[in-house]
Amino acid sequence: VAPLSINTASSEFAPAIYKKGIVYTSPEAGSLLKKKYHYDNTNFLSLYYSARINDTLFQKPEPFEKDFKVRYHDGPAVFYDQDRRMVLNRNQLSSTPGDKNAKIWHLALFDGVYNKEKSTWQLTPLPFNDVAYSVAHPAISADGNVLYFVSDMPGGFGGTDIYKSTRVNGVWSAPLNMGAAINTQGNEVFPSIHNKILYFASNGRGGLGGLDIFKSFITVNGLSEPVNLGYPVNTNLDDFAYTTSADGKTGYISTARRGGDDIFTFTRKTTYVKMLAHIIDAQTKEGLAGASIQLLSDTGFDTTLIANEAGLFDFTLEKETAYILIGSKDGKTGMLSGFALNEQDYTHVTHQLVAYGDTTKITCIVSVQNEAGEKQKPTNVLVTDDRTGEVVAHTIEHSLVSFSGEKGHAYTVEIQNAAGDSTRYVLELSENEQGPKSVAMVLKEEQKIIDMAARAFVA
């Protein structure tokens, strides 16, 4: 971790990656003598933009939008839809219930759309803003349809909690408290989302001191137990607002480790996880000696493994890699998918790969990539049996889509990007097909808008 060049004696925090730099939150000039901000919104805040020169060096900051002012707080903000839309945290002026003459400024969230013709942002308040409580610290999914935020609304676990709202057909759902798996009697603040990981800061879970940054994996069974990111991300002072790049290898944190809230950049070291698995017969529960196992991963590391006399085999993957194992022997096949998470996995856990003797079904794997061959995660996937017309259940592990198909059937697989652009592929299985069946599909690139200008003149 290393501090950015834009840090000052004032507070800089909650950076969002925007265009060729970051948009971050900082007190307005002249407010340095006001009470210091950590997570309780006590200073008057504004948004600033700074273009990136290298890892730690940034250009001189400038106001994000010169006419983009509100009394009291303005920020943080997050961006999506190729930086054409954002969710902004700012104060909203409202009348108090029962007294129209009494006004109150409360923290609210706004959906912003960039107006290209007017070169400004048009803001619309989100439907769950309420004068009775605050909503703050937005985090939004890549497709712009899942919003996480912080609120002290009634019915929480104490302090501020993290909530979730989903946009369906343009309508935001009622906020859903993320529950005791995430929230505590303390304060949970500054969520962010990357792939299937929810990051947030909390002072209610112990740790190194003050606010610590945690992560929780989003699975089909809900959220996993939060894990403290540890030092050097966390210190004995406040550490919060974890923001990561698209590949997850670099990013930013906000921290008070030098006495004031500053923005630090980080680079993640590569950590590998060794895992042990056991392929067994579903009926006898005995290990399948010499079974062949195909390993597929979303990092592009694919290989074939052979089980030993007891049916045991091991493999090593980069931490937080999604993987699928397909084992087979003597007509028996099985599949197992998961994440490489725990560095101590090898000595504590043996993953069970159960092989079944159903000779009518076959494991189908679709690897999703872009035109350059880089692994991509589709936003939506639909698998349909062309013979029966039924929708087929499937699993998605980042760029890997898997399902069980009937021999002799054909399946239409449709994948979509965040803009809704579709790619279809018909996967045909012969009566004599031997599994697993693996194919690759190309996810369409989202349309990129480029502003261009020209000058006409007399030659």
Side-chain angles (χ1 to χ4, degrees):
V1 298
L4 301 189
S5 62
I6 56 176
N7 292 325
T8 67
S10 184
S11 294
E12 293 82 23
F13 64 97
I17 296 173
Y18 178 75
K19 294 187 176 180
K20 296 182 179 180
I22 58 173
V23 171
Y24 65 95
T25 306
S26 184
E28 295 179 16
S31 65
L32 300 182
L33 297 180
K34 294 181 181 292
K35 185 178 178 183
K36 183 177 178 297
Y37 178 93
H38 279 285
Y39 53 83
D40 54 358
N41 292 286
T42 50
N43 277 0
F44 297 160
L45 305 171
S46 294
L47 291 175
Y48 295 88
Y49 171 75
S50 180
R52 179 178 178 271
I53 298 175
N54 58 35
D55 290 345
T56 61
L57 186 61
F58 282 70
Q59 293 180 2
K60 182 180 178 180
E62 57 186 29
F64 171 65
E65 182 78 31
K66 293 181 179 179
D67 297 327
F68 201 54
K69 298 293 294 181
V70 70
R71 190 177 180 185
Y72 305 129
H73 297 304
D74 212 354
V78 289
F79 300 87
Y80 65 104
D81 190 23
Q82 298 179 358
D83 296 334
R84 294 191 293 261
R85 303 193 68 168
M86 72 173 170
V87 179
L88 171 68
N89 193 184
R90 66 175 0 188
N91 279 125
Q92 182 181 37
L93 180 62
S94 302
S95 300
T96 58
D99 188 353
K100 295 184 179 181
N101 294 322
K103 305 294 183 180
I104 184 172
W105 290 90
H106 64 104
L107 284 173
L109 293 177
F110 294 78
D111 194 13
V113 180
Y114 187 71
N115 187 317
K116 183 179 177 181
E117 294 181 357
K118 297 182 179 180
S119 298
T120 189
W121 292 84
Q122 295 178 334
L123 301 178
T124 304
L126 294 186
F128 38 78
N129 293 334
D130 196 299
V131 68
Y133 50 81
S134 293
V135 291
H137 304 172
I140 198 161
S141 60
D143 62 6
N145 290 323
V146 180
L147 177 70
Y148 295 87
F149 62 92
V150 168
S151 179
D152 59 354
M153 68 177 67
F157 289 81
T160 55
D161 285 358
I162 296 176
Y163 290 79
K164 172 185 174 181
S165 178
T166 303
R167 180 161 46 189
V168 180
N169 297 324
V171 179
W172 288 104
S173 66
L176 172 68
N177 189 296
M178 298 307 293
I182 298 296
N183 296 315
T184 67
Q185 293 181 352
N187 291 305
E188 278 67 49
V189 292
F190 291 102
S192 66
I193 183 76
H194 180 253
N195 289 336
K196 292 186 176 182
I197 305 176
L198 175 68
Y199 296 92
F200 64 96
S202 174
N203 63 6
R205 293 184 168 275
L208 302 186
L211 287 169
D212 273 10
I213 299 172
F214 294 80
K215 67 177 178 181
S216 177
F217 293 90
I218 303 171
T219 70
V220 293
N221 298 316
L223 289 158
S224 68
E225 180 69 19
V227 176
N228 191 303
L229 295 190
Y231 183 82
V233 172
N234 292 318
T235 64
N236 62 344
L237 297 171
D238 285 342
D239 306 285
F240 56 99
Y242 182 99
T243 303
T244 185
S245 59
D247 61 10
K249 295 181 179 180
T250 61
Y252 305 95
I253 59 172
S254 302
T255 177
R257 67 189 64 191
R258 300 198 306 180
D261 290 336
D262 291 327
I263 300 173
F264 275 53
T265 183
F266 68 82
T267 301
R268 294 180 57 191
K269 295 181 179 179
T270 302
T271 303
Y272 291 94
V273 179
K274 187 176 182 179
M275 286 172 284
L276 179 66
H278 189 205
I279 182 170
I280 61 173
D281 186 299
Q283 290 185 329
T284 66
K285 308 302 180 185
E286 295 180 354
L288 294 178
S292 175
I293 297 94
Q294 185 175 356
L295 168 64
L296 304 174
S297 72
D298 67 344
T299 60
F301 174 74
D302 303 336
T303 188
T304 299
L305 308 167
I306 302 297
N308 66 13
E309 302 80 14
L312 294 168
F313 60 96
D314 58 41
F315 55 101
T316 302
L317 292 172
E318 186 177 336
K319 189 176 181 181
E320 297 177 9
T321 295
Y323 66 88
I324 294 178
L325 298 171
I326 306 113
S328 60
K329 184 183 181 183
D330 300 333
K332 300 180 178 65
T333 60
M335 183 178 69
L336 175 69
S337 62
F339 283 97
L341 298 180
N342 194 337
E343 294 93 331
Q344 305 301 320
D345 209 349
Y346 184 79
T347 57
H348 291 83
V349 179
T350 301
H351 301 274
Q352 296 293 326
L353 176 56
V354 183
Y356 296 87
D358 188 348
T359 58
T360 65
K361 293 186 177 181
I362 190 170
T363 300
C364 301
I365 307 293
V366 178
S367 177
V368 182
Q369 59 191 36
N370 60 17
E371 293 182 353
E374 300 168 330
K375 302 292 185 178
Q376 300 290 308
K377 180 182 178 182
T379 301
N380 294 305
V381 176
L382 178 65
V383 181
T384 307
D385 188 324
D386 291 353
R387 177 181 291 186
T388 65
E390 295 179 348
V391 175
V392 179
H394 59 273
T395 61
I396 305 175
E397 299 291 353
H398 195 251
S399 65
L400 302 175
V401 179
S402 59
F403 64 94
S404 182
E406 293 277 353
K407 293 183 179 181
H409 288 219
Y411 296 87
T412 297
V413 182
E414 180 180 350
I415 58 176
Q416 288 185 339
N417 61 20
D421 301 318
S422 298
T423 303
R424 291 182 177 87
Y425 182 90
V426 177
L427 191 156
E428 297 181 350
L429 301 178
S430 68
E431 295 288 352
N432 300 319
E433 196 79 57
Q434 299 297 317
K437 182 80 170 185
S438 299
V439 297
M441 291 183 66
V442 175
L443 187 67
K444 289 184 178 179
E445 296 280 356
E446 294 181 44
Q447 183 182 14
K448 293 180 172 59
I449 305 299
I450 301 175
D451 292 329
M452 304 181 69
R455 181 187 180 197
F457 59 94
V458 178

